[in-house]
Amino acid sequence: MTTNDAITHGGSAHDGSPYDEATAAALLDAGAVLPPGTRDREDADVLTVRTYTHPALDERTIVRLVPGTLGEAEDLAMDFLGLVRDPRIREVGQVRRETLGFPAWALVNDPANGHHALALVKDVERLARQAKSRPGTAKEGFEALGERLGRAVPHFLPTFYEQAARVFLQHENTTYAAAFFGKARDAERVHALTVDEERQRAVFLEFAFAGALTVKALKEHVKDLSARLSPAEAWAQYRQLTVERCAAGMPPYASLPQDARALIKAAGLNRVTEECALVADLLASPAAVRAPASFWNTYRATLVVLAGQRPAVRARLLEIMPAGLGRSTEDDEFWLALLAETGADGLLT
């Protein structure tokens, strides 16, 4: 029996009482396999058992554990090797949902040119082994493969560079990971590639969770959204990414209020209404504690309005010890004044 690397590195959750949301999410993040039906949120995927046969293997069967989202790509890769899949598929658990990467994306979306992607698999594996001890050499190797791939099938570049970035993430090299994530986005712009909005949102969140999504990449993303989508769609996409990024543990960045306001204005929406909804969602995240001073300053008036609309916001503000503010007397006075303006101080008496 063989299993995908993505599965074998994780543990298995034993059967028992249902997990609460936080525990289930933490287990998925750690690579666990949960019992079927544990979660119905979009961060979970079914784990399937797929079996394959080949004349050269006589009566033996190859068994693969594959997330459902990647099943079609797995079948195509096995078919390329001459393996035939048994049509029966069993669902045996739940794992964290993965974004369709390289070479899977190429096989699913352009099977006619899939051989270009499969031809690089051994080189990618070789460079992945070098990435920990010789990161510079591995980086140069991935760049050379990217140039080669770009000459033949440039639309494969985004997923290829994302896969290179994942290799460096496995070794906690977020600098190189962020660089290759940036190359993936550059390839989309240079070659004017069609962007799958849902897939890109998922991959942005993936790298945000890993701490490899730079503020520069986010700001470029704002420009790209505005160019590709209608103003209302651009705002909706950006808002969701911002909220989910914060929920994943990344604090709001310094110029977030300005970027949000530009998108809200372009969409012709009510600024106060949209900002109140956005700030309420961001405050719900533990990462809000680390928001920079510019966040609190810019949204000071918004917080006053929001606290008047939602009394629970006052209680939330009392829970926060803002790490993004300094430790001077002026910073303390600013926060105490904000608590007074929102009425949060009244909950203390």
Side-chain angles (χ1 to χ4, degrees), residues 113-127:
N113 284 305
H115 60 282
H116 289 290
L118 290 172
L120 299 185
V121 169
K122 287 187 177 180
D123 288 325
V124 169
E125 292 175 348
R126 173 179 56 80
L127 293 172

Side-chain angles (χ1 to χ4, degrees), residues 91-122:
E91 297 182 3
V92 294
Q94 279 190 328
V95 291
R96 183 180 180 110
R97 183 176 295 276
E98 298 179 31
T99 306
L100 204 60
F102 185 89
W105 186 93
L107 293 171
V108 169
N109 289 276
D110 188 3
N113 284 305
H115 60 282
H116 289 290
L118 290 172
L120 299 185
V121 169
K122 287 187 177 180

Side-chain angles (χ1 to χ4, degrees), residues 82-343:
L83 293 158
V84 178
R85 180 176 67 80
D86 186 311
R88 293 170 296 177
I89 299 175
R90 289 182 55 207
E91 297 182 3
V92 294
Q94 279 190 328
V95 291
R96 183 180 180 110
R97 183 176 295 276
E98 298 179 31
T99 306
L100 204 60
F102 185 89
W105 186 93
L107 293 171
V108 169
N109 289 276
D110 188 3
N113 284 305
H115 60 282
H116 289 290
L118 290 172
L120 299 185
V121 169
K122 287 187 177 180
D123 288 325
V124 169
E125 292 175 348
R126 173 179 56 80
L127 293 172
R129 290 192 293 271
Q130 293 180 344
K132 183 176 182 179
S133 59
R134 301 168 62 195
T137 302
K139 178 176 179 289
E140 292 174 359
F142 279 120
E143 289 171 343
L145 289 182
E147 291 178 7
R148 175 174 143 196
L149 197 64
R151 287 192 290 268
V153 278
H155 56 297
F156 288 179
L157 284 176
T159 51
F160 169 75
Y161 284 134
E162 289 161 7
Q163 199 62 32
R166 293 186 185 99
V167 167
F168 289 105
L169 280 181
Q170 290 174 358
H171 303 296
E172 300 182 351
N173 189 335
T174 55
T175 300
Y176 281 180
F180 277 106
F181 183 79
K183 283 181 175 292
R185 308 286 72 82
D186 289 342
E188 289 169 344
R189 299 183 195 105
V190 170
H191 297 286
L193 302 178
T194 300
V195 173
D196 180 334
E197 299 297 340
E198 188 61 27
R199 197 201 79 84
Q200 191 178 80
R201 185 188 70 83
V203 79
F204 261 82
L205 286 172
E206 176 188 346
F207 282 84
F209 293 158
L213 183 58
T214 64
V215 172
K216 178 184 176 182
L218 267 175
K219 295 184 76 64
E220 288 291 334
H221 189 49
V222 172
K223 295 178 184 177
D224 292 340
L225 287 175
S226 299
R228 289 199 313 266
L229 306 178
S230 71
E233 290 173 328
W235 164 241
Q237 284 268 18
Y238 173 78
R239 186 191 186 289
Q240 185 176 24
L241 174 62
T242 300
V243 171
E244 294 189 22
R245 174 181 180 270
C246 195
M250 304 291 286
Y253 61 98
S255 60
L256 182 153
Q258 287 72 33
D259 290 341
R261 283 183 178 176
L263 290 169
I264 292 170
K265 182 179 180 180
L269 301 171
N270 183 282
R271 182 172 67 83
V272 175
T273 300
E274 294 299 321
E275 285 189 350
C276 281
L278 173 64
V279 172
D281 286 345
L282 294 177
L283 280 181
S285 167
V289 172
R290 294 181 282 120
S294 59
F295 176 87
W296 303 113
N297 276 296
T298 305
Y299 284 137
R300 185 171 184 168
T302 303
L303 285 164
V304 174
V305 175
L306 181 60
Q309 296 173 348
R310 308 187 192 187
V313 169
R314 301 171 191 166
R316 174 61 179 142
L317 288 172
L318 287 179
E319 298 172 351
I320 292 175
M321 295 293 287
L325 295 179
R327 291 291 175 263
S328 68
T329 301
E330 290 77 10
D331 293 318
D332 292 339
E333 289 174 346
F334 168 83
W335 190 251
L336 291 173
L338 178 61
L339 294 179
E341 290 167 14
T342 57

